Amino acid sequence: MAFCPPCFCPHVGSGLHMPGNTRVRALQSGGNGRRSRAASTRDPGLCRKALPHSPWAHLAAWPVPVFGTQTAARLYGQVSSGKGHRCPAGWRGQLVWSRTTAVLSGSASGPGRVSTTRLPPFCRLTGSACLYGHVLRSRCRVPYWAAGAGRGLERTGSRSPRDSRPPAPLLAGGPALAVLLVSWAVLGPCGLEGAEPGALGKAESPQCPAVCTCGHEDYSDELSVFCSSRNLTRLPDGIPDGARALWLDGNNFSSIPAAAFQNLSGLGFLNLQGSGLAGLEPRALLGLHNLHHLHLERNQLRGLAAHTFLHTPGLASLGLGNNLLGRVDEGLFRGLSGLWDLNLGWNSLAVLPDAAFQGLAGLRELVLAGNKLAYLQPALFCGLGELRELDLSRNALRSVKANVFVKLPKLQKLYLDHNLIAAVAPGAFLGLRALRWLDLSHNRLGGLLEDTFPGLLGLHVLRLSHNAIAGLRPRTFKDLHFLEELRLDHNRVRQLPGQAFEGLGQLEVLTLNDNQIQEIEAGAFLGLLSVAVMNLSGNCLRALPEQAFQGLGRLHSLHLERSCLGRIRPHAFAGLSGLRRLFLRDNGIVAVEDQGLQGLAELLELDLTANRLAHLPGQLFQGLGKLEYLLLAGNRLAALSADALRPLRRVFWLDVSHNRLEALPEDVLAPLGQLRYLNLRNNSLRTFVPRAPGLERLWLEGNPWDCGCPLRALRALALQQPDVVPRFVRAALDGDDGQPPAYAYNNITCTGPAAVAGLDLRDVAEAHFAHC
């Protein structure tokens, strides 16, 4: 595994495929299923630099609050749901990191059973690193940046992560980082199971309450007390005065009495998540002058007195998400000038007073998602000049008015998705000079104006999918010179006019799928010099005009699935000299005319699945000498031509299943010297002689095999190399992550002669071929 700051280079074991120039996504989805964010990185040169909108780019701007304890961190693994890597729903790995060791605990807990403790996103570590969780178990893959440290919790309750922010020491490396990585590589996840969270170094403290577990950091005397999920109805007696971290989550407190923690003046971290709290006495936190991180998520709090946090002036992060808060009184956060993370998401807030956030001059992240906010007054965010991230998603906002965000000059990420926004006022985003990410998806926008996005010169990601946008005007995106991702899928766009994307010279990903596009005017894509991925699937183009893709020489992947393309005419893809992947499935294509694929010399993958091809012209694949994956399943092919396949000397994977092949002469596959995977399922084949050398997998089920002498060689192959022709093929199911992988039968069922009809060829006795 290569490590190259300031980003990670995942290897094949991470479950991520990073070909050529394509853009790579690491899904970050929280356990509660409510939110998911894609942390996009850039390729080629994935590890050459960190993008301004990447998880690493704004680290320098984030403060590292002094965390009063150096205890180990519980980091929750987020399971990647990429194809081929499935875990049961609710599976959640849990990592406990100390300075030099990693301990995996609670690795197979079901939904609602994983401990709900949470670590602050930053740790004060000298010459070391507070790593983010990395779980590798069976077919599960967890990218490093997809682990939700200090952000997302278990399924029930809290907000999912936006992106994972490793602390500055991680980027700097250091000997301890090497020790951590080596320990993980040597011990593996299975060798790190079963440890108690408190078993961090020294023996248990003799002053520890009987119902709790206590432990010290390996290299300090700082004490952590773990009393999570003990069915406590009141605070345990005898908590050591010197405790620096206290975990009380998952218990059954109805309230916290006044001065409950007055003897714990050194406490820096307090976790009361999911503890049934219906109220908090105004003086409950009395004495906690050194508290930096307080977590009250997933309780039943309906309101808090104005002076609740008067006794915790040093708070750096405050979690109030997933409660029943219906109001925020003015002055509630007064005196918390050092607060940098405030989570009020998933409550019942319908109105916020103008001075709700007065005094929070150092606030970096504000979460208001999942409330009932219908409007935003211009004065609401005044005084939040240091704010970097604002989440207003899943509210009831109907419009974005001018001057609401004008006082947020350092804002980098703004989430407005899943609202009822039907209009954006001209210049609504003026003043957001540092904005990198803007999400307006899942709203009711009907159109975009030339002055919708003025001044957003630093924007890198713009998401407008799932709206009602009916058309694109020229120069709409003229100021977005550094935009790299533009999502316009699932709208109502009917036509792409010329110069529709003027000014987007740095754009890499463009999604226009599932619109109503019927016409692409000449020059529609002019100026898109850097686009690597374009998705036009789910439209109804019927035909591709000549020169439609002119100027897209860097396009890597083109998606045209479900686009009503009946024929592929000559020179349809002219200008796509760098195209690597072309997806044409589910179009009803009856013919690909001569020179229809001309100019695609760099093509690696061609998907023509589920069309109506009955014949492959002899010159169809001429010039595709680099093609590695050819998918022709679900067509009407009755024969394969040796002339047609001859140019494909580098084909690695050939899928001709679900066709009408009646014979496959020996010379057809002879030119395919690199063939390793061959799928012949569900055809009309009666005989087959396996002549392809180096074959690694052969699928044969669903053919009416005549088990006479011609199949003797196939029987020998199946018996001698069961890995090549397995009886069962384990495959992960697409779609539902909760479904376990299934076994597909790879039968070679004989339909004749009568003596062996119904048997599998591998079960036919050798004596049957004695006369051959």
Side-chain angles (χ1 to χ4, degrees):
M1 181 190 312
F3 176 72
C4 46
C7 63
F8 289 102
C9 298
H11 56 90
V12 292
S14 69
L16 297 179
H17 179 49
M18 304 188 178
N21 298 323
T22 194
R23 206 169 163 83
V24 183
R25 299 177 68 240
L27 267 191
Q28 307 180 70
S29 64
N32 56 22
R34 284 172 167 169
R35 306 234 3 128
S36 63
R37 294 290 179 208
S40 301
T41 51
R42 189 178 186 178
D43 188 61
L46 179 66
C47 289
R48 292 177 189 168
K49 64 179 180 179
L51 294 182
H53 71 277
S54 74
W56 323 112
H58 60 284
L59 284 175
W62 282 77
V64 182
V66 176
F67 178 37
T69 178
Q70 296 187 18
T71 64
R74 291 191 178 197
L75 306 181
Y76 295 87
Q78 311 291 323
V79 178
S80 171
S81 58
K83 183 177 180 181
H85 307 95
R86 298 289 188 234
C87 288
W91 190 98
R92 182 59 61 92
Q94 191 179 115
L95 289 183
V96 182
W97 290 91
S98 68
R99 288 196 177 196
T100 58
T101 59
V103 180
L104 181 69
S105 65
S107 56
S109 298
R113 297 185 60 191
V114 178
S115 176
T116 59
T117 51
R118 172 181 171 185
L119 176 81
F122 295 99
C123 301
R124 185 189 67 190
L125 298 175
T126 305
S128 183
C130 178
L131 287 183
Y132 277 55
H134 184 200
V135 177
L136 288 175
R137 175 178 292 275
S138 183
R139 300 175 68 84
C140 306
R141 298 292 185 264
V142 185
Y144 312 98
W145 56 84
R151 304 278 180 182
L153 302 174
E154 62 174 335
R155 308 183 63 78
T156 58
S158 86
R159 181 177 64 101
S160 302
R162 288 298 168 273
D163 50 46
S164 298
R165 301 184 181 92
L170 175 59
L171 303 183
L177 174 60
V179 173
L180 282 168
L181 295 178
V182 171
S183 299
W184 180 256
V186 173
L187 297 177
C190 296
L192 297 174
E193 295 183 8
E196 269 292 318
L200 303 180
K202 300 182 181 180
E204 285 192 8
S205 171
Q207 294 81 24
C208 191
V211 295
C212 304
T213 302
C214 299
H216 290 81
E217 230 310 317
D218 290 342
Y219 294 97
S220 73
D221 291 327
E222 295 183 353
L223 178 66
S224 295
V225 181
F226 298 92
C227 307
S228 304
S229 302
R230 307 298 168 96
N231 288 321
L232 299 175
T233 57
R234 62 182 182 85
L235 296 182
D237 296 327
I239 298 175
D241 296 346
R244 302 300 298 275
L246 178 57
W247 310 73
L248 292 167
D249 53 296
N251 286 292
N252 297 310
F253 309 125
S254 59
S255 64
I256 301 296
F261 307 101
Q262 63 178 348
N263 295 326
L264 303 177
S265 59
L267 202 64
F269 176 81
L270 177 59
N271 189 339
L272 285 162
Q273 298 179 51
S275 292
L277 293 176
L280 199 63
E281 293 289 336
R283 292 167 54 84
L285 305 176
L286 181 67
L288 297 180
H289 300 292
N290 294 309
L291 191 67
H292 298 295
H293 304 279
L294 174 61
H295 299 288
L296 294 164
E297 295 93 339
R298 296 182 302 104
N299 285 288
Q300 283 85 48
L301 298 174
R302 295 182 178 273
L304 293 170
H307 303 295
T308 300
F309 305 110
L310 180 65
H311 309 289
T312 56
L315 276 183
S317 65
L318 174 58
L320 291 166
N322 293 93
N323 277 282
L324 303 173
L325 296 175
R327 71 183 192 280
V328 172
D329 294 336
E330 290 190 18
L332 177 61
F333 307 115
R334 185 174 292 122
L336 301 182
S337 58
L339 193 69
W340 60 273
D341 184 357
L342 176 58
N343 185 350
L344 287 164
W346 308 106
N347 280 284
S348 299
L349 301 173
V351 178
L352 291 171
D354 286 353
F357 307 115
Q358 186 176 10
L360 300 181
L363 198 65
R364 262 61 172 178
E365 180 173 345
L366 175 58
V367 178
L368 293 166
N371 283 285
K372 301 176 182 179
L373 299 175
Y375 68 93
L376 303 171
Q377 57 270 39
L380 182 59
F381 303 119
C382 287
L384 302 183
E386 296 296 322
L387 198 66
R388 264 65 167 183
E389 182 170 334
L390 176 58
D391 189 349
L392 289 160
S393 62
R394 297 183 184 274
N395 278 280
L397 300 175
R398 298 182 179 276
S399 64
V400 182
K401 298 181 180 180
N403 301 322
V404 173
F405 308 114
V406 71
K407 299 295 185 179
L408 302 177
K410 296 184 179 180
L411 193 68
Q412 297 180 2
K413 294 186 178 181
L414 177 57
Y415 300 99
L416 292 164
D417 53 288
H418 292 87
N419 278 280
L420 306 173
I421 299 172
V424 176
F429 305 112
L430 283 175
L432 299 182
R433 299 184 298 272
L435 197 66
R436 300 290 183 266
W437 190 304
L438 175 58
D439 193 342
L440 282 161
S441 62
H442 294 272
N443 279 289
R444 300 179 180 180
L445 291 173
L448 302 172
L449 305 175
E450 285 190 26
D451 52 2
T452 300
F453 306 111
L456 298 183
L457 301 178
L459 197 65
H460 288 270
V461 176
L462 176 58
R463 295 188 170 175
L464 296 163
S465 55
H466 292 274
N467 277 282
I469 300 172
L472 299 177
R473 301 183 182 185
R475 299 179 58 78
T476 299
F477 310 109
K478 63 181 185 303
D479 287 344
L480 309 183
H481 300 303
F482 296 98
L483 196 68
E484 295 175 347
E485 177 180 316
L486 174 58
R487 297 190 177 271
L488 286 160
D489 52 279
H490 294 87
N491 278 283
R492 301 175 184 175
V493 179
R494 293 179 175 274
Q495 181 187 40
L496 294 181
Q499 298 181 325
F501 305 105
E502 181 183 357
L504 302 183
Q506 300 296 320
L507 195 68
E508 295 181 353
V509 175
L510 174 61
T511 65
L512 289 160
N513 53 288
D514 296 284
N515 277 276
Q516 301 170 14
I517 301 173
Q518 299 181 11
E519 181 182 358
I520 301 176
E521 292 186 3
F525 300 124
L526 285 179
L528 298 180
L529 304 177
S530 303
V531 167
V533 178
M534 182 183 293
N535 194 339
L536 287 164
S537 61
N539 288 287
C540 203
L541 299 171
R542 299 190 183 280
L544 296 175
E546 290 190 16
Q547 311 299 322
F549 303 110
Q550 198 67 34
L552 301 179
R554 294 187 180 180
L555 190 64
H556 178 286
S557 301
L558 176 59
H559 293 262
L560 287 165
E561 302 98 321
R562 301 175 288 108
S563 296
C564 306
L565 297 174
R567 304 178 74 88
I568 302 298
R569 294 192 172 92
H571 311 292
F573 304 107
L576 301 180
S577 58
L579 196 67
R580 306 291 181 84
R581 286 167 174 79
L582 176 58
F583 303 95
L584 294 166
R585 64 181 301 149
D586 293 298
N587 271 293
I589 298 172
V590 296
V592 180
E593 299 180 9
D594 287 342
Q595 300 183 335
L597 302 175
Q598 189 179 32
L600 303 180
E602 300 296 321
L603 199 65
L604 299 176
E605 180 176 347
L606 176 59
D607 188 353
L608 284 161
T609 301
N611 283 289
R612 300 178 184 177
L613 294 172
H615 173 67
L616 299 180
Q619 303 298 314
L620 177 61
F621 304 120
Q622 195 68 37
L624 305 185
K626 294 185 179 181
L627 196 68
E628 295 179 354
Y629 295 84
L630 178 57
L631 310 179
L632 294 166
N635 280 279
R636 303 177 180 179
L637 298 172
L640 292 179
S641 166
D643 292 337
L645 299 182
R646 186 167 288 113
L648 307 180
R649 299 185 181 276
R650 294 180 60 178
V651 162
F652 178 83
W653 189 298
L654 176 60
D655 187 351
V656 288
S657 60
H658 297 274
N659 276 282
R660 302 175 182 178
L661 298 178
E662 297 179 356
L664 199 59
E666 297 180 27
D667 63 333
V668 171
L669 301 179
L672 308 182
Q674 300 297 320
L675 188 63
R676 295 295 180 268
Y677 295 86
L678 175 61
N679 194 341
L680 298 172
R681 297 174 62 238
N682 295 98
N683 277 282
S684 299
L685 294 171
R686 300 182 65 83
T687 64
F688 173 65
V689 179
R691 297 293 188 189
L695 205 61
E696 295 180 12
R697 185 61 56 85
L698 178 61
W699 290 271
L700 298 166
E701 185 264 335
N703 286 282
W705 298 107
D706 183 1
C707 297
C709 291
L711 282 191
R712 186 175 186 179
L714 179 58
R715 175 180 178 273
L717 176 67
L719 291 175
Q720 295 170 11
Q721 301 186 46
D723 291 338
V724 176
V725 193
R727 287 182 181 267
F728 307 103
V729 180
R730 191 175 188 227
L733 298 178
D734 290 335
D736 190 357
D737 289 347
Q739 295 297 323
Y743 285 94
Y745 290 93
N746 192 18
N747 295 333
I748 314 173
T749 305
C750 301
T751 58
V756 296
L759 293 178
D760 189 281
L761 178 62
R762 288 160 286 205
D763 299 328
V764 176
E766 179 66 28
H768 176 72
F769 300 97
H771 67 285
C772 296

